[in-house]
Protein backbone atom coordinates (compact mmCIF):
# COMPACT_ATOMS: atom_id res chain seq x y z
CA UNK A 1 0.00 0.00 0.00
CA UNK A 2 1.37 3.42 -1.00
CA UNK A 3 1.52 5.66 2.08
CA UNK A 4 1.65 8.85 -0.01
CA UNK A 5 -1.53 7.82 -1.80
CA UNK A 6 -3.32 7.54 1.53
CA UNK A 7 -1.92 10.78 2.95
CA UNK A 8 -3.02 12.70 -0.14
CA UNK A 9 -6.48 11.13 -0.07
CA UNK A 10 -7.50 11.32 3.59
CA UNK A 11 -11.18 11.83 2.79
CA UNK A 12 -11.27 8.13 1.86
CA UNK A 13 -9.95 7.05 5.27
CA UNK A 14 -12.68 5.84 7.64
CA UNK A 15 -13.37 3.41 10.51
CA UNK A 16 -14.86 -0.07 10.48
CA UNK A 17 -16.28 -1.62 13.63
CA UNK A 18 -15.99 -5.25 14.70
CA UNK A 19 -18.37 -6.19 17.53
CA UNK A 20 -17.23 -7.97 20.67
CA UNK A 21 -19.74 -10.27 22.39
CA UNK A 22 -19.94 -11.27 26.04
CA UNK A 23 -20.55 -14.75 27.42
CA UNK A 24 -22.64 -13.54 30.35
CA UNK A 25 -25.01 -11.33 28.33
CA UNK A 26 -24.74 -13.01 24.89
CA UNK A 27 -24.86 -9.52 23.40
CA UNK A 28 -22.55 -6.85 21.97
CA UNK A 29 -20.60 -5.14 24.74
CA UNK A 30 -17.94 -3.36 22.67
CA UNK A 31 -16.61 -2.57 19.20
CA UNK A 32 -13.02 -2.64 18.04
CA UNK A 33 -12.19 0.25 15.71
CA UNK A 34 -10.34 -0.81 12.54
CA UNK A 35 -8.87 1.52 9.94
CA UNK A 36 -10.08 1.24 6.33
CA UNK A 37 -9.28 3.02 3.07
CA UNK A 38 -11.32 3.20 -0.11
CA UNK A 39 -9.11 2.83 -3.19
CA UNK A 40 -10.50 2.50 -6.71
CA UNK A 41 -13.80 1.24 -5.37
CA UNK A 42 -12.18 -1.35 -3.09
CA UNK A 43 -12.14 -1.15 0.69
CA UNK A 44 -8.76 -2.21 2.10
CA UNK A 45 -7.39 -2.57 5.63
CA UNK A 46 -4.92 0.02 6.95
CA UNK A 47 -3.21 -2.58 9.13
CA UNK A 48 -0.09 -2.72 6.96
CA UNK A 49 0.08 1.09 6.92
CA UNK A 50 0.24 1.29 10.72
CA UNK A 51 2.68 -1.64 10.95
CA UNK A 52 5.14 -0.19 8.40
CA UNK A 53 8.24 1.00 10.29
CA UNK A 54 9.28 3.12 7.28
CA UNK A 55 6.29 5.44 7.68
CA UNK A 56 6.95 8.32 10.15
CA UNK A 57 4.87 8.35 13.34
CA UNK A 58 3.44 11.79 12.59
CA UNK A 59 1.85 10.45 9.39
CA UNK A 60 0.44 7.45 11.21
CA UNK A 61 -0.90 9.70 13.95
CA UNK A 62 -2.60 11.96 11.41
CA UNK A 63 -4.37 9.04 9.76
CA UNK A 64 -5.23 7.41 13.08
CA UNK A 65 -6.68 10.63 14.45
CA UNK A 66 -9.13 10.84 11.55
CA UNK A 67 -10.25 7.27 12.21
CA UNK A 68 -10.61 7.84 15.97
CA UNK A 69 -12.58 11.07 15.54
CA UNK A 70 -14.98 9.51 13.07
CA UNK A 71 -15.39 6.41 15.23
CA UNK A 72 -16.11 8.29 18.45
CA UNK A 73 -18.46 10.67 16.67
CA UNK A 74 -20.51 7.64 15.62
CA UNK A 75 -20.13 6.02 19.04
CA UNK A 76 -21.87 8.96 20.69
CA UNK A 77 -25.12 7.36 19.50
CA UNK A 78 -24.39 3.99 21.15
CA UNK A 79 -25.72 2.73 24.46
CA UNK A 80 -23.56 3.97 27.33
CA UNK A 81 -22.74 0.37 28.32
CA UNK A 82 -20.87 -0.29 25.06
CA UNK A 83 -17.10 0.23 25.03
CA UNK A 84 -14.80 1.21 22.18
CA UNK A 85 -11.48 -0.57 21.63
CA UNK A 86 -8.73 1.57 20.05
CA UNK A 87 -5.54 -0.11 18.80
CA UNK A 88 -2.25 1.48 19.81
CA UNK A 89 1.34 0.32 19.57
CA UNK A 90 3.79 1.91 21.98
CA UNK A 91 5.36 4.26 19.44
CA UNK A 92 2.02 5.67 18.33
CA UNK A 93 0.79 6.01 21.90
CA UNK A 94 3.97 7.88 22.92
CA UNK A 95 3.66 10.35 20.03
CA UNK A 96 3.77 13.84 21.57
CA UNK A 97 4.18 12.16 24.98
CA UNK A 98 0.60 10.94 24.64
CA UNK A 99 -0.94 14.39 25.09
CA UNK A 100 -2.41 15.05 21.60
CA UNK A 101 -4.30 11.77 21.69
CA UNK A 102 -5.56 12.35 25.23
CA UNK A 103 -6.77 15.85 24.34
CA UNK A 104 -8.86 14.41 21.51
CA UNK A 105 -10.42 11.91 23.90
CA UNK A 106 -11.13 14.67 26.43
CA UNK A 107 -12.86 16.66 23.70
CA UNK A 108 -15.27 13.77 23.23
CA UNK A 109 -15.77 13.50 26.98
CA UNK A 110 -17.14 17.05 26.85
CA UNK A 111 -19.60 15.82 24.21
CA UNK A 112 -20.84 13.15 26.60
CA UNK A 113 -18.65 10.14 25.80
CA UNK A 114 -17.33 8.86 29.14
CA UNK A 115 -13.67 7.84 28.98
CA UNK A 116 -14.29 4.71 31.05
CA UNK A 117 -15.79 3.33 27.82
CA UNK A 118 -12.40 3.54 26.08
CA UNK A 119 -10.21 0.43 25.99
CA UNK A 120 -6.67 0.95 24.70
CA UNK A 121 -5.54 -2.22 22.97
CA UNK A 122 -1.77 -1.90 23.16
CA UNK A 123 1.43 -3.70 22.24
CA UNK A 124 4.96 -2.70 23.19
CA UNK A 125 6.51 -5.34 20.93
CA UNK A 126 9.71 -4.06 19.28
CA UNK A 127 9.43 -0.81 21.24
CA UNK A 128 12.90 0.67 21.76
CA UNK A 129 11.91 3.68 23.87
CA UNK A 130 11.82 4.11 27.62
CA UNK A 131 9.42 1.49 29.02
CA UNK A 132 9.16 3.33 32.34
CA UNK A 133 7.84 6.43 30.57
CA UNK A 134 5.46 4.25 28.58
CA UNK A 135 4.17 2.58 31.75
CA UNK A 136 3.75 5.97 33.46
CA UNK A 137 1.71 7.18 30.48
CA UNK A 138 -0.60 4.17 30.74
CA UNK A 139 -1.11 4.77 34.44
CA UNK A 140 -1.82 8.43 33.68
CA UNK A 141 -4.47 7.41 31.15
CA UNK A 142 -5.99 5.10 33.70
CA UNK A 143 -6.64 8.02 36.04
CA UNK A 144 -9.23 9.11 33.47
CA UNK A 145 -10.95 5.72 33.63
CA UNK A 146 -9.42 4.43 30.39
CA UNK A 147 -8.92 0.64 30.42
CA UNK A 148 -5.93 -1.28 29.06
CA UNK A 149 -5.98 -4.45 26.95
CA UNK A 150 -2.84 -6.37 25.98
CA UNK A 151 -3.19 -7.71 22.47
CA UNK A 152 -0.34 -10.15 22.01
CA UNK A 153 0.27 -13.69 23.20
CA UNK A 154 3.83 -14.90 23.61
CA UNK A 155 5.65 -17.66 25.47
CA UNK A 156 8.65 -15.47 26.31
CA UNK A 157 9.12 -15.01 30.04
CA UNK A 158 9.53 -11.25 29.52
CA UNK A 159 5.99 -11.09 28.20
CA UNK A 160 4.57 -12.57 31.38
CA UNK A 161 6.70 -10.15 33.41
CA UNK A 162 5.18 -7.26 31.43
CA UNK A 163 1.69 -8.54 32.13
CA UNK A 164 2.50 -8.62 35.82
CA UNK A 165 3.87 -5.07 35.67
CA UNK A 166 1.02 -3.54 33.65
CA UNK A 167 -1.84 -5.54 35.19
CA UNK A 168 -4.10 -4.97 32.17
CA UNK A 169 -7.87 -5.04 32.44
CA UNK A 170 -8.18 -7.37 29.44
CA UNK A 171 -5.92 -10.03 27.90
CA UNK A 172 -6.65 -10.53 24.22
CA UNK A 173 -5.85 -14.00 22.86
CA UNK A 174 -5.54 -14.65 19.14
CA UNK A 175 -7.04 -18.00 18.16
CA UNK A 176 -5.19 -18.15 14.84
CA UNK A 177 -2.66 -20.27 16.71
CA UNK A 178 -5.29 -23.00 17.11
CA UNK A 179 -5.18 -23.61 13.36
CA UNK A 180 -1.66 -24.99 13.64
CA UNK A 181 -1.57 -28.45 15.18
CA UNK A 182 2.20 -28.15 15.49
CA UNK A 183 1.81 -25.33 18.02
CA UNK A 184 -1.32 -26.66 19.68
CA UNK A 185 0.37 -28.16 22.73
CA UNK A 186 2.55 -25.11 23.34
CA UNK A 187 -0.41 -22.82 22.82
CA UNK A 188 -2.45 -24.72 25.41
CA UNK A 189 0.40 -24.51 27.91
CA UNK A 190 0.74 -20.76 27.37
CA UNK A 191 -3.03 -20.31 27.56
CA UNK A 192 -3.20 -22.19 30.86
CA UNK A 193 -0.49 -19.95 32.29
CA UNK A 194 -2.29 -16.86 30.99
CA UNK A 195 -5.60 -17.90 32.50
CA UNK A 196 -3.96 -18.35 35.90
CA UNK A 197 -2.22 -14.99 35.61
CA UNK A 198 -5.44 -13.28 34.47
CA UNK A 199 -7.21 -14.60 37.53
CA UNK A 200 -4.41 -13.35 39.80
CA UNK A 201 -4.40 -9.82 38.40
CA UNK A 202 -8.16 -9.58 37.88
CA UNK A 203 -8.02 -9.41 34.08
CA UNK A 204 -10.71 -10.59 31.66
CA UNK A 205 -9.91 -12.92 28.74
CA UNK A 206 -11.01 -11.85 25.26
CA UNK A 207 -10.61 -14.35 22.42
CA UNK A 208 -10.29 -12.91 18.92
CA UNK A 209 -10.18 -14.37 15.39
CA UNK A 210 -12.95 -16.87 16.15
CA UNK A 211 -13.75 -18.28 12.72
CA UNK A 212 -15.33 -21.65 13.54
CA UNK A 213 -17.69 -23.14 16.10
CA UNK A 214 -15.00 -25.25 17.77
CA UNK A 215 -12.93 -22.09 18.39
CA UNK A 216 -15.88 -20.48 20.15
CA UNK A 217 -16.25 -23.61 22.24
CA UNK A 218 -12.52 -23.56 23.03
CA UNK A 219 -12.75 -19.91 24.11
CA UNK A 220 -15.81 -20.62 26.27
CA UNK A 221 -14.20 -23.65 27.90
CA UNK A 222 -10.97 -21.79 28.64
CA UNK A 223 -12.49 -18.96 30.59
CA UNK A 224 -13.15 -16.45 27.82
CA UNK A 225 -15.68 -13.82 28.80
CA UNK A 226 -15.49 -11.85 25.55
CA UNK A 227 -15.45 -13.13 21.95
CA UNK A 228 -14.68 -11.61 18.57
CA UNK A 229 -14.28 -12.92 15.04
CA UNK A 230 -15.81 -13.49 11.63
CA UNK A 231 -17.73 -16.54 12.87
CA UNK A 232 -19.70 -14.16 15.09
CA UNK A 233 -19.73 -10.98 13.03
CA UNK A 234 -17.34 -9.41 10.50
CA UNK A 235 -16.18 -5.77 10.71
CA UNK A 236 -18.60 -3.30 9.11
CA UNK A 237 -19.07 0.41 8.60
CA UNK A 238 -22.16 0.51 10.83
CA UNK A 239 -23.14 -0.71 14.27
CA UNK A 240 -25.45 -3.70 14.67
CA UNK A 241 -28.24 -4.65 17.06
CA UNK A 242 -26.84 -5.62 20.46
CA UNK A 243 -29.05 -8.71 20.60
CA UNK A 244 -28.36 -9.92 17.04
CA UNK A 245 -26.75 -13.18 18.22
CA UNK A 246 -28.49 -13.65 21.57
CA UNK A 247 -30.60 -16.66 20.56
CA UNK A 248 -27.76 -18.23 18.56
CA UNK A 249 -25.23 -17.83 21.37
CA UNK A 250 -27.69 -19.18 23.93
CA UNK A 251 -28.13 -22.26 21.77
CA UNK A 252 -24.38 -22.64 21.32
CA UNK A 253 -23.70 -22.27 25.03
CA UNK A 254 -26.41 -24.82 25.79
CA UNK A 255 -24.63 -27.30 23.48
CA UNK A 256 -21.27 -26.53 25.10
CA UNK A 257 -22.71 -26.95 28.58
CA UNK A 258 -24.37 -30.27 27.69
CA UNK A 259 -21.14 -31.59 26.18
CA UNK A 260 -19.10 -30.47 29.18
CA UNK A 261 -21.58 -32.01 31.61
CA UNK A 262 -21.26 -35.36 29.82
CA UNK A 263 -17.49 -35.15 30.13
CA UNK A 264 -17.70 -34.28 33.81
CA UNK A 265 -20.12 -37.17 34.38
CA UNK A 266 -17.64 -39.48 32.63
CA UNK A 267 -14.84 -38.26 34.88
CA UNK A 268 -17.00 -38.77 37.96
CA UNK A 269 -18.02 -42.27 36.85
CA UNK A 270 -14.40 -43.17 36.13
CA UNK A 271 -13.32 -41.90 39.55
CA UNK A 272 -16.00 -44.06 41.17
CA UNK A 273 -14.83 -47.05 39.14
CA UNK A 274 -11.24 -46.62 40.27
CA UNK A 275 -12.32 -45.99 43.84
CA UNK A 276 -14.20 -49.29 44.03
CA UNK A 277 -11.59 -51.32 42.12
CA UNK A 278 -8.49 -49.98 43.89
CA UNK A 279 -10.08 -50.00 47.34
CA UNK A 280 -10.97 -53.67 46.98
CA UNK A 281 -7.43 -54.63 45.96
CA UNK A 282 -5.77 -52.49 48.64
CA UNK A 283 -8.02 -53.94 51.37
CA UNK A 284 -7.17 -57.48 50.28
CA UNK A 285 -3.44 -56.67 50.42
CA UNK A 286 -3.27 -54.62 53.61
CA UNK A 287 -0.45 -56.72 55.03
CA UNK A 288 1.32 -57.36 51.71
CA UNK A 289 4.51 -55.77 50.44
CA UNK A 290 4.38 -53.02 47.85
CA UNK A 291 5.60 -55.48 45.24
CA UNK A 292 2.73 -57.90 45.85
CA UNK A 293 0.23 -55.04 45.94
CA UNK A 294 1.48 -53.80 42.56
CA UNK A 295 1.31 -57.30 41.09
CA UNK A 296 -2.34 -57.55 42.05
CA UNK A 297 -3.10 -54.07 40.74
CA UNK A 298 -1.44 -54.93 37.42
CA UNK A 299 -3.73 -57.94 37.02
CA UNK A 300 -6.73 -55.60 37.05
CA UNK A 301 -5.27 -52.44 35.49
CA UNK A 302 -2.75 -53.74 32.95
CA UNK A 303 -4.59 -52.09 30.02
CA UNK A 304 -5.31 -48.91 31.94
CA UNK A 305 -2.29 -47.83 33.96
CA UNK A 306 1.36 -47.36 33.01
CA UNK A 307 2.92 -46.29 36.32
CA UNK A 308 2.28 -46.92 40.02
CA UNK A 309 4.01 -45.83 43.20
CA UNK A 310 3.37 -45.03 46.88
CA UNK A 311 4.24 -41.80 48.73
CA UNK A 312 3.88 -40.60 52.30
CA UNK A 313 1.84 -37.52 53.13
CA UNK A 314 4.88 -35.24 52.73
CA UNK A 315 5.46 -36.43 49.17
CA UNK A 316 8.43 -38.74 49.77
CA UNK A 317 8.21 -41.86 47.64
CA UNK A 318 8.13 -45.01 49.79
CA UNK A 319 8.08 -47.54 46.95
CA UNK A 320 9.85 -48.01 43.67
CA UNK A 321 8.14 -46.97 40.47
CA UNK A 322 6.38 -49.81 38.69
CA UNK A 323 6.47 -48.69 35.06
CA UNK A 324 5.02 -50.25 31.92
CA UNK A 325 7.46 -49.93 29.02
CA UNK A 326 7.55 -51.52 25.58
CA UNK A 327 8.80 -54.78 27.06
CA UNK A 328 6.26 -54.88 29.86
CA UNK A 329 6.27 -53.86 33.52
CA UNK A 330 9.59 -53.00 35.15
CA UNK A 331 10.71 -51.84 38.60
CA UNK A 332 12.49 -48.49 38.91
CA UNK A 333 14.09 -48.50 42.37
CA UNK A 334 15.91 -45.19 41.81
CA UNK A 335 12.66 -43.32 42.52
CA UNK A 336 12.55 -44.38 46.18
CA UNK A 337 12.76 -41.31 48.48
CA UNK A 338 12.21 -38.81 45.69
CA UNK A 339 9.95 -36.00 46.83
CA UNK A 340 6.93 -34.75 44.85
CA UNK A 341 5.46 -32.18 47.23
CA UNK A 342 6.52 -29.39 44.85
CA UNK A 343 3.99 -30.52 42.26
CA UNK A 344 0.89 -28.33 41.87
CA UNK A 345 -2.02 -29.47 44.08
CA UNK A 346 -0.01 -32.33 45.61
CA UNK A 347 -0.36 -31.34 49.27
CA UNK A 348 -3.87 -29.99 48.68
CA UNK A 349 -4.94 -33.39 47.33
CA UNK A 350 -3.23 -35.22 50.19
CA UNK A 351 -5.25 -33.22 52.73
CA UNK A 352 -8.43 -33.73 50.71
CA UNK A 353 -7.89 -37.51 50.51
CA UNK A 354 -7.04 -37.72 54.19
CA UNK A 355 -10.17 -35.85 55.24
CA UNK A 356 -12.61 -37.39 52.75
CA UNK A 357 -11.00 -40.87 52.86
CA UNK A 358 -11.47 -41.45 49.16
CA UNK A 359 -9.45 -41.24 45.97
CA UNK A 360 -9.10 -38.36 43.49
CA UNK A 361 -8.95 -38.46 39.71
CA UNK A 362 -6.73 -35.61 38.49
CA UNK A 363 -7.26 -33.15 35.67
CA UNK A 364 -5.52 -33.76 32.35
CA UNK A 365 -1.83 -32.84 32.33
CA UNK A 366 1.38 -33.64 30.43
CA UNK A 367 3.55 -36.31 31.99
CA UNK A 368 7.10 -35.08 32.68
CA UNK A 369 8.79 -38.27 31.48
CA UNK A 370 6.65 -39.40 28.56
CA UNK A 371 5.23 -36.05 27.42
CA UNK A 372 1.83 -37.71 26.94
CA UNK A 373 -1.47 -36.35 28.18
CA UNK A 374 -2.51 -38.39 31.22
CA UNK A 375 -4.57 -38.42 34.40
CA UNK A 376 -3.56 -39.76 37.81
CA UNK A 377 -5.78 -41.59 40.29
CA UNK A 378 -4.59 -40.99 43.86
CA UNK A 379 -5.83 -43.19 46.70
CA UNK A 380 -5.37 -43.03 50.52
CA UNK A 381 -4.18 -46.50 51.52
CA UNK A 382 -4.08 -45.65 55.21
CA UNK A 383 -3.31 -42.65 57.38
CA UNK A 384 0.29 -42.49 56.23
CA UNK A 385 0.60 -43.87 52.68
CA UNK A 386 -0.96 -42.79 49.39
CA UNK A 387 -1.10 -44.78 46.18
CA UNK A 388 -0.68 -43.05 42.81
CA UNK A 389 -1.74 -44.71 39.57
CA UNK A 390 -0.95 -42.94 36.29
CA UNK A 391 -3.52 -43.66 33.58
CA UNK A 392 -2.24 -44.02 30.02
CA UNK A 393 -3.18 -41.76 27.13
CA UNK A 394 -4.25 -44.85 25.19
CA UNK A 395 -6.94 -45.61 27.77
CA UNK A 396 -8.09 -41.97 27.83
CA UNK A 397 -8.24 -41.96 24.03
CA UNK A 398 -10.38 -45.10 24.04
CA UNK A 399 -12.69 -43.31 26.51
CA UNK A 400 -12.56 -39.97 24.73
CA UNK A 401 -14.88 -38.21 27.15
CA UNK A 402 -11.96 -38.33 29.59
CA UNK A 403 -9.88 -36.15 27.24
Amino acid sequence: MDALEILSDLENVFPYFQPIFSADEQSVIAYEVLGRYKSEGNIVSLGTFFQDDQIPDEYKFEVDLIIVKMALEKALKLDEEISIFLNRNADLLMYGHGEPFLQELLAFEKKGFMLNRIVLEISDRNYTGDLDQFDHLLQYYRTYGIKIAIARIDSESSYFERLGQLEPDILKINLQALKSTSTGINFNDVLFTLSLLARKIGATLLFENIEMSYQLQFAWKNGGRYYQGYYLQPPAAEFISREILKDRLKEKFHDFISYEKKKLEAVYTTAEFFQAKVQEIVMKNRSATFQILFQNLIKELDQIAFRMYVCDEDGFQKSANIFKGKEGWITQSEYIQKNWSWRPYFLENIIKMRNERKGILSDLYSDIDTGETIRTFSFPMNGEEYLFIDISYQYLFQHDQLL
Side-chain angles (χ1 to χ4, degrees):
M1 184 182 297
D2 190 335
L4 291 177
E5 177 190 342
I6 295 170
L7 291 166
S8 61
D9 190 24
L10 293 177
E11 62 269 20
N12 280 310
V13 168
F14 56 93
Y16 256 31
F17 305 92
Q18 185 166 32
I20 296 169
F21 295 84
S22 75
D24 42 340
E25 297 180 23
Q26 305 98 51
S27 61
V28 176
I29 52 88
Y31 287 93
E32 179 180 357
V33 176
L34 304 168
R36 293 293 187 265
Y37 174 64
K38 190 172 184 179
S39 174
E40 299 178 353
N42 297 316
I43 296 175
V44 295
S45 170
L46 286 172
T48 54
F49 173 84
F50 289 112
Q51 294 164 9
D52 190 341
D53 294 333
Q54 303 303 312
I55 299 175
D57 287 341
E58 57 264 31
Y59 295 162
K60 293 180 181 178
F61 184 81
E62 181 181 1
V63 173
D64 180 77
L65 200 56
I66 293 172
I67 295 168
V68 170
K69 282 183 175 181
M70 293 179 69
L72 293 183
E73 199 66 50
K74 281 194 168 187
L76 287 171
K77 304 171 186 176
L78 285 171
D79 293 347
E80 292 184 358
E81 298 84 13
I82 296 182
S83 299
I84 295 294
F85 281 61
L86 300 174
N87 288 296
R88 277 291 182 285
N89 64 33
D91 290 303
L92 191 59
L93 193 65
M94 289 295 290
Y95 179 78
H97 302 290
E99 270 307 315
F101 177 60
L102 180 59
Q103 291 306 315
E104 290 299 331
L105 296 183
L106 290 172
F108 276 93
E109 186 179 44
K110 292 177 181 177
K111 294 181 181 182
F113 190 93
M114 301 302 294
L115 295 193
N116 61 6
R117 295 170 61 190
I118 296 290
V119 180
L120 284 184
E121 190 177 310
I122 64 168
S123 170
D124 57 15
R125 188 177 188 182
N126 301 325
Y127 180 59
T128 57
D130 189 325
L131 278 177
D132 285 337
Q133 287 187 13
F134 177 67
D135 292 355
H136 286 315
L137 178 62
L138 293 181
Q139 295 306 323
Y140 177 53
Y141 276 20
R142 276 179 151 162
T143 63
Y144 290 92
I146 296 170
K147 299 180 180 65
I148 304 298
I150 299 293
R152 172 175 146 254
I153 190 169
D154 201 328
S155 59
E156 296 174 5
S157 59
S158 59
Y159 172 67
F160 292 100
E161 290 173 12
R162 289 293 290 149
L163 289 181
Q165 292 166 0
L166 294 176
E167 295 191 352
D169 303 281
I170 296 170
L171 297 184
K172 198 168 189 185
I173 299 171
N174 190 334
L175 285 183
Q176 286 288 342
L178 272 182
K179 287 187 172 181
S180 172
T181 54
S182 62
T183 61
I185 295 176
N186 291 334
F187 182 85
N188 285 331
D189 291 342
V190 172
L191 178 57
F192 178 72
T193 305
L194 275 176
S195 64
L196 291 178
L197 181 58
R199 186 179 177 187
K200 289 285 185 182
I201 64 178
T204 299
L205 294 183
L206 189 164
F207 286 81
E208 65 175 334
N209 281 320
I210 295 175
E211 298 178 357
M212 298 180 184
S213 178
Y214 81 91
Q215 291 177 319
L216 178 61
Q217 183 174 10
F218 180 88
W220 173 85
K221 182 179 178 180
N222 285 278
R225 183 181 183 183
Y226 301 142
Y227 315 120
Q228 179 184 15
Y230 275 76
Y231 177 74
L232 301 170
Q233 203 72 25
E238 303 298 332
F239 300 124
I240 60 174
S241 166
R242 291 194 67 184
E243 311 299 321
I244 191 171
L245 293 184
K246 197 170 190 73
D247 291 340
R248 179 180 161 200
L249 287 176
K250 276 187 173 181
E251 184 179 339
K252 282 289 180 185
F253 292 157
H254 176 74
D255 291 342
F256 299 162
I257 292 166
S258 296
Y259 177 76
E260 205 60 32
K261 280 182 175 179
K262 287 179 181 177
K263 291 191 70 172
L264 291 171
E265 286 289 347
V267 170
Y268 177 80
T269 301
T270 302
E272 291 293 301
F273 163 77
F274 278 109
Q275 173 69 28
K277 180 71 68 177
V278 172
Q279 185 174 36
E280 180 185 0
I281 297 170
V282 169
M283 291 297 291
K284 287 180 178 178
N285 292 273
R286 276 181 295 183
S287 303
T289 62
F290 291 142
Q291 195 66 29
I292 292 175
L293 171 64
F294 292 141
Q295 287 174 4
N296 285 295
L297 286 167
I298 288 171
K299 289 177 184 178
E300 297 291 335
L301 305 177
D302 182 53
Q303 301 301 314
I304 299 174
F306 73 95
R307 186 194 289 123
M308 306 177 191
Y309 56 97
V310 174
C311 290
D312 65 18
E313 66 174 19
D314 291 333
F316 286 97
Q317 193 160 325
K318 310 304 290 183
S319 74
N321 267 8
I322 306 301
F323 181 81
K324 186 178 184 181
K326 293 181 179 179
E327 306 300 322
W329 290 90
I330 60 172
T331 301
Q332 299 172 318
S333 301
E334 64 271 21
Y335 282 88
I336 296 175
Q337 284 304 310
K338 284 186 179 285
N339 185 269
W340 307 113
S341 60
W342 54 268
R343 285 179 167 172
Y345 311 113
F346 184 92
L347 293 177
E348 180 181 337
N349 285 341
I350 290 290
I351 298 301
K352 187 174 182 179
M353 285 189 288
R354 189 173 70 188
N355 289 335
E356 297 182 2
R357 298 180 182 178
K358 63 182 298 187
I360 296 173
L361 184 62
S362 77
D363 293 336
L364 292 168
Y365 67 97
S366 295
D367 183 63
I368 294 175
D369 295 327
T370 67
E372 289 190 336
T373 299
I374 68 168
R375 290 181 185 267
T376 296
F377 181 72
S378 314
F379 180 80
M381 295 172 58
N382 49 53
E384 299 176 351
E385 296 170 329
Y386 297 82
L387 172 65
F388 295 86
I389 301 172
D390 291 338
I391 303 167
S392 70
Y393 175 79
Q394 182 179 0
Y395 178 82
L396 299 178
F397 182 77
Q398 291 169 348
H399 301 77
D400 59 348
Q401 287 187 324
L402 296 176
L403 284 174

